[in-house]
Amino acid sequence: MRTRPLKVALLGCGVVGSEVARIMTTHADDLAARIGAPVELAGVAVRRPDKVRGGIDPSLITTDATALVKRGDIDVVVEVIGGIEPARALITTAFEHGASVVSANKALLAQDGATLYASAQQHGQDLYYEAAVAGAIPLIRPLRESLAGDKINRVMGIVNGTTNFILDKMDSTGAGYQEALDEATALGYAEADPTADVEGFDAAAKAAILAGIAFHTRVRLDDVYREGMTEVTAADFASAKQMGCTIKLLAICERAADGGSVTARVHPAMIPLSHPLASVREAYNAVFVEAEAAGRLMFYGPGAGGSPTASAVLGDVVAVCRNRLNEATGPGESAYTQLPVSSMGEVVTRYHISLDVADKPGVLAQVATVFAEHGVSIDTVRQQGKDGEASLVVVTHRAPDAALSGTVEALRKLDTVRGVASIMRVEGE
């Protein structure tokens, strides 16, 4: 074993960063044995240097992150500060000064991963980011390496624990959205401002990363269709149960049937109770991968939290350190296919549409005519009504999303349709 330690600089020492530092200290001997050399925490960049950080030598603390990554003796920079800047500048500076980078920064990777990859390649360094998607679940490395010889056609999953906790509580207890959100906040699953989670921004960033890796093409955050879950109601869950379904906020990345394009989207969807994702409870994550040779694979586990995320970070640190000892680098960006990213309107899917209609003869015929005029085939219809008012629930066969959206707009114009109570896609067949 080499005696000279590999030096690690830590950018950020919050929930995840502090756990990374703790594990590096408490498991130092094991990490050294696995790597083939000791690893040493050489510096920790923070914004608030006066905060007490147990187990970390105060002499390692600095507020000058740029000076830390420029030192030249740093082997690996671990970036867990998040956001776009100064994270992007610090990562590229680390590459320029001979350090590889391990990051958990999903937002930056989704928005400008190409810049990071190019800088890493230019300077002969590694960029690893297992912790950026699905916490402790091994997912990025299997997609980048284990399935590199296969063709992936679809990646669909629950990649945000906060939203899954909320939807699970709505399903299992009958709670409304706000009540379930309040419980998630009280238990620490939801932030004081849950917008990034419940409006799908967090999941969209992860979808962009997954799509880029799975389909070997560049997919940016702006390419991902995003729809939040704040409008999901207890009535939607009641309708889902009548269909033998539940509701999940899904990130879905697909290759077109002709292989000529890809799509990436995040939105609530009904999925059959028989689908493996339907049984994912509480704040857990799960990702379902469909590959031509390997078939269907599911990755499941805790998707967030200090310890689970730190586990993924340290796994990357071990891999990068091994590469440095062997004077090698791991896989870089694979974007050779350069496939276009199609719009949501071109996605072929199913719809569950609940309408409030007048309870009189001919309403169903009018509604069916609108669907036919837009080329959308109806799978099932359920109608209930009394006292002049009725509800009509229509489940469609698969059709382009644009056709379904056009159908809904036409339905709103019918005199006999009082309103569209809910619209939800149906996935996971």
Side-chain angles (χ1 to χ4, degrees):
M1 178 186 293
R2 192 180 86 167
T3 57
R4 182 169 64 82
L6 292 157
K7 295 187 177 183
V8 177
L10 180 60
L11 308 182
C13 197
V15 173
V16 176
S18 59
E19 275 296 289
V20 170
R22 182 190 67 79
I23 295 172
M24 282 188 64
T25 302
T26 57
H27 298 325
D29 291 342
D30 285 336
L31 291 172
R34 294 165 191 167
I35 293 168
V39 285
E40 173 188 301
L41 188 60
V44 182
V46 299
R47 286 183 297 176
R48 297 186 294 275
D50 297 331
K51 181 179 178 180
V52 177
R53 294 175 172 84
I56 297 178
D57 184 347
S59 68
L60 298 178
I61 302 296
T62 179
T63 58
D64 194 342
T66 301
L68 179 59
V69 300
K70 282 184 174 181
R71 275 177 38 174
D73 65 333
I74 299 297
D75 293 286
V76 184
V77 170
V78 174
E79 183 273 309
V80 288
I81 56 177
I84 306 303
E85 293 292 358
R88 174 167 47 199
L90 290 169
I91 290 173
T92 55
T93 300
F95 291 142
E96 291 165 5
H97 287 78
S100 289
V101 173
V102 171
S103 176
N105 196 331
K106 54 186 172 289
L108 177 56
L109 287 159
Q111 180 169 310
D112 199 16
T115 295
L116 304 186
Y117 274 124
S119 181
Q121 182 178 9
Q122 178 184 354
H123 298 287
Q125 303 300 327
D126 272 327
L127 173 62
Y128 276 58
Y129 47 90
E130 185 68 63
V133 180
I137 304 172
L139 181 61
I140 300 300
R141 194 171 290 116
L143 290 177
R144 285 215 294 181
E145 300 179 34
S146 303
L147 294 172
D150 208 338
K151 181 181 180 182
I152 297 173
N153 291 317
R154 197 170 200 238
V155 179
M156 179 172 77
I158 298 162
V159 294
N160 183 278
T162 299
T163 55
N164 199 56
F165 180 90
I166 293 169
L167 292 172
D168 182 45
K169 289 303 174 184
M170 292 177 70
D171 185 26
S172 60
T173 69
Y177 166 76
Q178 189 60 51
E179 184 183 352
L181 172 60
D182 290 343
E183 183 177 355
T185 303
L187 292 173
Y189 291 123
E191 302 286 348
D193 179 2
T195 302
D197 295 323
V198 300
E199 293 294 350
F201 291 101
D202 175 84
K206 296 169 181 176
I209 294 169
L210 291 174
I213 298 170
F215 307 132
H216 303 278
T217 198
R218 285 181 181 167
V219 180
R220 300 180 71 252
L221 182 58
D222 292 345
D223 296 322
V224 181
Y225 172 84
R226 178 192 55 79
E227 186 180 316
M229 49 156 281
T230 56
E231 301 300 318
V232 177
T233 66
D236 291 325
F237 275 101
S239 292
K241 287 181 179 179
Q242 289 183 326
M243 290 178 58
C245 293
T246 188
I247 299 170
K248 299 293 186 181
L249 184 75
L250 298 178
I252 304 172
C253 312
E254 293 179 302
R255 189 189 301 269
D258 63 3
S261 64
V262 299
T263 57
R265 51 195 166 105
V266 169
H267 55 73
M270 294 182 180
I271 59 172
L273 294 175
S274 58
H275 194 282
L277 291 177
S279 61
V280 179
R281 310 296 300 273
E282 299 285 329
Y284 277 78
N285 284 191
V287 177
F288 205 68
V289 177
E290 298 179 23
E292 283 197 358
R296 295 182 173 186
L297 310 169
M298 190 166 104
F299 301 82
Y300 169 85
S307 294
T309 306
S311 171
V313 169
L314 266 298
D316 280 350
V317 169
V318 169
V320 170
C321 286
R322 287 171 174 168
N323 288 345
R324 290 183 79 83
L325 288 181
N326 293 321
E327 298 182 349
T329 55
E333 182 183 30
S334 177
Y336 71 91
T337 63
Q338 300 183 35
L339 295 173
V341 182
S342 298
S343 68
M344 185 63 193
E346 298 177 67
V347 171
V348 177
T349 186
R350 300 174 67 202
Y351 262 145
H352 174 282
I353 304 170
S354 180
L355 305 171
D356 295 325
V357 299
D359 187 14
K360 63 182 185 181
V363 172
L364 180 57
Q366 286 184 331
V367 169
T369 297
V370 170
F371 278 90
E373 289 174 346
H374 288 80
V376 178
S377 176
I378 294 174
D379 183 13
T380 62
V381 178
R382 187 173 70 252
Q383 184 174 10
Q384 294 177 321
K386 65 177 182 178
D387 301 327
E389 296 296 330
S391 64
L392 192 65
V393 177
V394 179
V395 179
T396 72
H397 286 293
R398 289 168 61 83
D401 198 82
L404 290 162
S405 296
T407 301
V408 172
E409 291 306 309
L411 289 171
R412 294 182 194 274
K413 296 176 182 178
L414 291 178
D415 292 338
T416 51
V417 174
R418 310 299 192 206
V420 180
S422 70
I423 308 168
M424 192 166 296
R425 295 172 183 87
V426 182
E427 300 286 346
E429 298 174 89

